[in-house]
Amino acid sequence: MRNGSNQEIPRWARVGWWVFLFVTCLRVWFGPVDFHSVADAQIPDGGLQRKQQLDEIKMTNQYLSEIKQLLKSGTINVRVQGADNKADAASPRVPGSP
């Protein structure tokens, strides 16, 4: 077999060309190949995750009920950490005040 300039094409190049042509035809025939399995995109155990979510929601509801009862039952004193220091530094000192 010769190319356009009358030089002999090596046998390995001709075989390589046919292999390339064959593989290209297979890819066109079967479509793109996805190397990742379908199971990679799935949740490992969806039922277990739902159960854990429901348990967390129940716990959150319990905490909210406790906070609601605490707020209904009496007065709560709240102190914000760090806010007192900033307020003291920002407010001007009045002589005679502590």
Side-chain angles (χ1 to χ4, degrees), residues 21-87:
L21 187 62
F22 178 72
V23 170
T24 303
C25 289
L26 284 176
R27 294 222 31 202
V28 169
W29 183 267
F30 290 112
V33 178
D34 186 18
F35 293 108
H36 300 289
S37 67
V38 177
D40 289 343
Q42 294 178 354
I43 298 172
D45 189 356
L48 177 63
Q49 284 189 350
R50 283 188 209 95
K51 182 186 178 309
Q52 290 172 342
Q53 285 177 340
L54 288 174
D55 291 342
E56 291 292 326
I57 290 171
K58 288 176 185 177
M59 227 165 44
T60 302
N61 285 340
Q62 181 182 358
Y63 289 143
L64 288 174
S65 295
E66 290 174 9
I67 291 172
K68 182 180 174 183
Q69 289 296 1
L70 184 64
L71 291 173
K72 282 184 175 182
S73 66
T75 305
I76 299 174
N77 293 325
V78 178
R79 180 171 181 219
V80 179
Q81 292 288 335
D84 294 338
N85 295 337
K86 292 178 184 176

